[in-house]
């Protein structure tokens, strides 16, 4: 990969746009890592325009542009779990930047590259989110008799309970606790229809430690007591 342009050369954009290269890079990577497909134009075009107005050397601007693209690629690859550009693809990117005759064209190329990377990240995040919730639903369907907690489910996926809870509600339309309760109550309903078990037996078989709580939940859901 190309080396970052030497820090001994002053950054023209720092004074003209009051935004440093580090600030631009941080904002850029924030958008890439979250899969946001917007904001790249308003972020990058004014900054590159400031470089042009300060008569920064074209080759130096090309180096800055390449560094931004490579930083975005590395960040996107980490999030998406995919390899970055091959050496050949890196060379082609540099050739395209070298062919740009002005900073505006370079800004457009960096924007295009970053938007593509963000789309890959967004698809990867959606796929992972769907897979997490699919596994959670399968676990609930097969292990509803156990003492399942949101914290335990989140730990199994190596994510925070807060993130898991929000993701579960977003993907299913209901909270984790409500979904688990509905699965348990439906199983209880099937047992009541097909057997002669007593309420306390069914409550225990469906994961309820308290039969009174089970009866109240059942009546709230179906309008009738288990009896």
């Amino acid at each position: 990969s190309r080396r970052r342009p030497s820090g001994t050369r002053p950054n023209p954009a720092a004074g003209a746009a009051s935004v440093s290269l580090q600030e631009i890079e941080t904002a850029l990577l924030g958008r890439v890592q979250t899969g946001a497909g917007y904001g790249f134009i308003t972020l990058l075009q004014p900054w590159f325009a400031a470089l042009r107005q300060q008569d920064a050397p074209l080759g130096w601007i090309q180096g800055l542009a390449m560094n931004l693209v490579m930083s975005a690629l590395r960040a996107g690859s980490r999030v998406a779990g995919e390899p970055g550009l091959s050496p050949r693809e890196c060379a082609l990117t540099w050739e395209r930047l070298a062919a740009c005759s002005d900073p505006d064209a370079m800004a457009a190329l960096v924007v295009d590259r970053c938007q593509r990377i963000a789309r890959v990240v967004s698809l990867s995040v959606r796929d992972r989110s769907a897979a997490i919730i699919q596994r959670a639903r399968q676990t609930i369907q097969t292990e509803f008799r156990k003492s399942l907690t949101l914290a335990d489910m989140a730990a199994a996926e190596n994510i925070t309970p807060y993130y898991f809870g929000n993701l579960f509600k977003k993907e299913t339309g209901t909270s984790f606790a409500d979904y688990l309760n509905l699965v348990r109550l439906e199983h209880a309903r099937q047992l009541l229809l097909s057997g002669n078990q007593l309420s306390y037996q069914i409550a225990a078989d469906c994961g309820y430690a308290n039969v009174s709580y089970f009866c109240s939940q059942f009546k709230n859901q179906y309008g009738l007591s288990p009896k």
Side-chain angles (χ1 to χ4, degrees), residues 8-81:
T8 59
R9 182 185 294 276
N11 183 356
S18 299
V19 179
S20 68
L21 171 62
Q22 183 178 2
E23 290 172 321
I24 284 290
E25 188 172 26
T26 299
L28 179 70
L29 298 188
R31 287 172 170 79
V32 167
Q33 290 170 331
T34 58
Y38 56 88
F40 293 110
I41 294 177
T42 55
L43 174 68
L44 293 170
Q45 280 189 344
W47 194 73
F48 276 90
L51 293 175
R52 183 187 67 243
Q53 292 168 3
Q54 290 293 315
D55 294 325
L58 192 62
W60 187 63
I61 301 176
Q62 289 168 341
L64 292 177
M66 187 64 180
N67 279 322
L68 287 174
V69 171
M70 295 307 296
S71 293
L73 280 168
R74 285 191 292 269
S77 296
R78 285 194 297 269
V79 176

Side-chain angles (χ1 to χ4, degrees), residues 8-165:
T8 59
R9 182 185 294 276
N11 183 356
S18 299
V19 179
S20 68
L21 171 62
Q22 183 178 2
E23 290 172 321
I24 284 290
E25 188 172 26
T26 299
L28 179 70
L29 298 188
R31 287 172 170 79
V32 167
Q33 290 170 331
T34 58
Y38 56 88
F40 293 110
I41 294 177
T42 55
L43 174 68
L44 293 170
Q45 280 189 344
W47 194 73
F48 276 90
L51 293 175
R52 183 187 67 243
Q53 292 168 3
Q54 290 293 315
D55 294 325
L58 192 62
W60 187 63
I61 301 176
Q62 289 168 341
L64 292 177
M66 187 64 180
N67 279 322
L68 287 174
V69 171
M70 295 307 296
S71 293
L73 280 168
R74 285 191 292 269
S77 296
R78 285 194 297 269
V79 176
E82 296 183 4
L85 289 179
S86 67
R88 175 57 181 162
E89 290 171 320
C90 289
L92 289 174
T93 299
W94 179 252
E95 289 173 9
R96 287 190 61 188
L97 280 170
C100 295
S101 58
D102 63 82
D104 288 341
M106 295 178 202
L109 179 58
V110 177
V111 166
D112 176 70
R113 284 290 187 179
C114 290
Q115 286 176 335
R116 293 185 183 190
I117 297 166
R119 281 196 292 270
V120 172
V121 170
S122 179
L123 290 172
S124 175
V125 169
R126 284 204 296 269
D127 289 345
R128 277 208 306 276
S129 297
I132 287 172
I133 299 309
Q134 179 62 23
R135 287 192 293 270
R137 295 174 73 163
Q138 289 174 346
T139 298
I140 292 171
Q141 291 291 341
T142 57
E143 300 183 20
F144 60 87
R145 296 177 181 86
K146 298 179 180 179
S147 179
L148 297 177
T149 68
L150 185 147
D152 290 339
M153 300 289 283
E157 296 291 347
N158 198 29
I159 56 179
T160 67
Y162 178 80
Y163 180 80
F164 176 79

